[in-house]
Amino acid sequence: MLLFKLQQQILRSSCSTTPRFCTSLSFKPDTMTEDNDTDSNLCNKRPVEDDNLNDSKKQKSESSERFVRIKKRNYAMMLGYFGKNYYGMQRNPGMKTIEEDLIQALLKADLITSDAFETIQNINFQRAARTDKGVSAVRQVVSLKLPENPSKDAVNKNLPDDIRVFAIKRVTKGFNSKSQCDARTYSYTLPTFAFASENLEQFHESDVFHDPEKRMQQLSTIDGKPYHEYRLPKDKHEKLVELLKLYEGTHRFHNFTSKVFPLDPRARRFIMSFTAEDPFIVDELEYITLKVKGQSFMLHQIRKMVSMVIAVMRNIVTRDAFDQAFTDQKYEIWKAPGLGLMLNIVHYDYYNNRYGKDGMHETLDWAECEEEVTEFEKSKILKHCASGIMKMIRNFLIGAEIFLPYPIEMTSMASVIY
């Protein structure tokens, strides 16, 4: 008993000298148990909700419900237009152009977004050919990305009468209407009296070009008859065909454009064909259509080629001068009016042979649209521009002297051309 009391005193004395040790021994199990209970309670408690966070989540959810990703495909769109009232095909801020009206129609038809309207490159928009002011087209082609199954009727509903979409076809993913075009065919329609031979005695009178009324009197009669009764003789038609054929092949066309030197590689162009169709009569006036097919053309090239042919046919320019236009000598050739020029066909022969028969893509020959295209050409283009072409050609012939091929010395060419 005495021994037991002694042990108790020793133990109490030890605890008083090492309180931390005793406390840790006494309370450690309880503390561990308390911490475990606390962790368990924290896990079971509901988290405090943040109203701002919830509102943000709700907005994101609602916006994701409103935004629907529209799948887009690559398409080729074939269209025609009467270019008399437009400043060309290509979009030009502040100017009335074909592309501007077309892109606005696509926006109104919900086929493109407002962002695409502002930056049309976002939908890979590309034209096959760029036509100038006043130039028309019946089979122009543009490539672009659109939602699946686009409706041409929805586009036409928002277009003016001068522009018409004839077809929209699905094309390959990498299709580009410009770079994959094999060739382009243009037509130039003009009255046949433009090819009537000049009265050279009257033509070389010094005062004739200073008196437009006198020059108009000269042009009002041909061989003693009113100019509108003129009919192109067979021998003149044969001469015209012969002259046009001289353009075929590869030549340097530096004299049929501007700002291009004779040895500039850009001057070399390949003309596949240049033909004259049979004349036809509209409102008692005889017209003829010339058709030229080439890989590509420079600025004003076709209009200057037609101008040179008119000059030779009217005996104002000699055949030798015609041949010299392809030499190193630089000439200044006036351009024929733009109203008679029309983009007729854009050719995709290679594309049609490779992809047109794969069962997934259609050929880009537009044969199924031929009737509609022909009707548009007759009713919207030829009908409305025939009288305009006649007036422009007459005005052009009044100043016929200015489209003579004046030679320009190579040493001074830079100051004249550039």
Side-chain angles (χ1 to χ4, degrees):
M1 186 68 178
L2 181 62
L3 181 60
F4 175 76
K5 288 181 180 181
L6 182 61
Q7 289 177 345
Q8 289 286 47
Q9 289 178 359
I10 294 172
L11 181 61
R12 282 196 294 269
S13 174
S14 302
C15 289
S16 63
T17 56
T18 57
R20 291 182 182 178
F21 176 73
C22 295
T23 304
S24 62
L25 288 176
S26 303
F27 293 98
K28 189 174 181 179
D30 294 338
T31 304
M32 291 177 62
T33 304
E34 186 173 313
D35 290 342
N36 287 338
D37 291 341
T38 303
D39 293 340
S40 177
N41 291 335
L42 286 174
C43 294
N44 293 332
K45 285 184 179 180
R46 292 178 58 189
V48 179
E49 294 185 356
D50 189 336
D51 292 339
N52 294 332
L53 183 61
N54 287 341
D55 291 342
S56 176
K57 289 181 177 180
K58 287 179 181 179
Q59 291 177 1
K60 288 182 179 180
S61 177
E62 290 174 1
S63 63
S64 62
E65 289 177 1
R66 288 195 303 266
F67 177 77
V68 179
R69 184 176 295 278
I70 300 175
K71 198 170 188 179
K72 294 183 179 180
R73 302 291 187 184
N74 214 20
Y75 288 92
M77 176 185 293
M78 196 267 280
L79 65 150
Y81 49 84
F82 179 37
K84 181 181 178 181
N85 301 317
Y86 289 87
Y87 288 88
M89 170 69 182
Q90 188 173 3
R91 198 178 194 185
N92 192 359
M95 308 293 284
K96 184 177 177 62
T97 65
I98 301 297
E99 283 185 7
E100 187 66 33
D101 281 1
L102 175 61
I103 296 168
Q104 285 184 2
L106 292 172
L107 179 64
K108 292 177 181 178
D110 291 330
L111 292 177
I112 63 173
T113 63
S114 57
D115 290 339
F117 176 82
E118 297 296 333
T119 310
I120 200 63
Q121 294 84 356
N122 291 346
I123 57 171
N124 297 343
F125 186 93
Q126 179 63 59
R127 73 200 71 82
R130 183 179 62 183
T131 54
D132 298 328
K133 176 184 176 181
V135 178
S136 301
V138 287
R139 296 177 186 85
Q140 171 73 280
V141 178
V142 299
S143 54
L144 70 171
K145 285 186 175 294
L146 294 173
E148 291 183 313
N149 303 317
S151 170
K152 70 170 187 176
D153 294 333
V155 182
N156 285 327
K157 185 173 64 176
N158 295 289
L159 283 172
D161 292 338
D162 288 343
I163 308 175
R164 178 78 54 81
V165 173
F166 298 115
I168 304 175
K169 293 185 178 182
R170 172 82 181 278
V171 289
T172 57
K173 186 176 181 180
F175 178 80
N176 182 297
S177 61
K178 181 180 179 181
S179 62
Q180 292 185 252
C181 169
D182 304 305
R184 299 162 180 85
T185 295
Y186 283 83
S187 64
Y188 195 97
T189 301
L190 70 166
T192 57
F193 71 71
F195 299 122
S197 299
E198 282 279 357
N199 184 326
L200 296 182
E201 290 184 3
Q202 294 180 352
F203 182 79
H204 290 299
E205 290 180 6
S206 59
D207 64 335
V208 68
F209 293 105
H210 299 285
D211 190 348
E213 291 186 4
K214 188 174 182 179
R215 176 61 176 161
M216 183 66 79
Q217 289 178 357
Q218 289 183 359
L219 296 172
S220 62
T221 58
I222 302 174
D223 297 332
K225 296 181 180 180
Y227 72 92
H228 65 269
E229 294 182 7
Y230 179 82
R231 301 294 181 262
L232 189 68
K234 184 178 180 181
D235 61 326
K236 295 280 285 185
H237 188 275
E238 291 175 352
K239 181 181 179 180
L240 174 61
V241 171
E242 179 185 349
L243 282 172
L244 295 177
K245 198 166 185 63
L246 294 176
Y247 283 121
E248 295 180 358
T250 302
H251 302 283
R252 288 183 294 171
F253 287 94
H254 55 280
N255 280 319
F256 297 88
T257 185
S258 60
K259 301 182 180 181
V260 176
F261 281 106
L263 299 181
D264 191 326
R266 295 176 299 170
R268 296 184 66 83
R269 302 286 163 151
F270 176 59
I271 305 299
M272 300 174 181
S273 64
F274 206 158
T275 60
E277 297 185 344
D278 293 333
F280 60 94
I281 297 175
V282 177
D283 296 332
E284 299 183 353
L285 190 66
E286 186 179 66
Y287 291 83
I288 192 169
T289 297
L290 314 178
K291 286 190 174 181
V292 55
K293 180 180 180 181
Q295 289 180 333
S296 60
F297 298 92
M298 293 180 289
L299 180 66
H300 304 320
Q301 179 182 340
I302 298 174
R303 294 166 63 183
K304 290 197 173 190
M305 291 165 71
V306 172
S307 175
M308 178 63 96
V309 169
I310 292 175
V312 176
M313 291 289 290
R314 296 184 70 85
N315 297 325
I316 299 172
V317 172
T318 65
R319 173 67 179 273
D320 289 340
F322 181 95
D323 295 335
Q324 289 174 11
F326 300 102
T327 66
D328 290 346
Q329 179 66 55
K330 183 65 180 177
Y331 288 86
E332 191 65 49
I333 302 174
W334 196 249
K335 56 182 180 290
L339 189 58
L341 183 61
M342 179 168 60
L343 175 61
N344 200 270
I345 304 173
V346 181
H347 301 268
Y348 294 100
D349 297 336
Y350 178 80
Y351 176 89
N352 290 338
N353 291 332
R354 181 169 182 179
Y355 301 107
K357 301 176 183 179
D358 62 2
M360 297 176 59
H361 304 92
E362 301 178 73
T363 57
L364 301 181
D365 55 12
W366 320 105
E368 69 281 0
C369 307
E370 192 60 31
E371 184 176 345
E372 187 180 3
V373 170
T374 303
E375 175 60 27
F376 181 84
E377 181 180 4
K378 290 180 178 179
S379 63
K380 293 294 183 182
I381 300 180
L382 295 180
K383 180 180 178 180
H384 291 91
C385 73
S387 60
I389 292 174
M390 185 272 293
K391 292 177 182 178
M392 292 185 73
I393 289 293
R394 290 197 73 190
N395 291 335
F396 174 65
L397 295 177
I398 288 173
E401 188 180 40
I402 60 177
F403 72 81
L404 295 176
Y406 294 113
I408 301 174
E409 295 296 331
M410 293 298 293
T411 55
S412 62
M413 185 176 67
S415 61
V416 176
I417 298 299
Y418 289 88

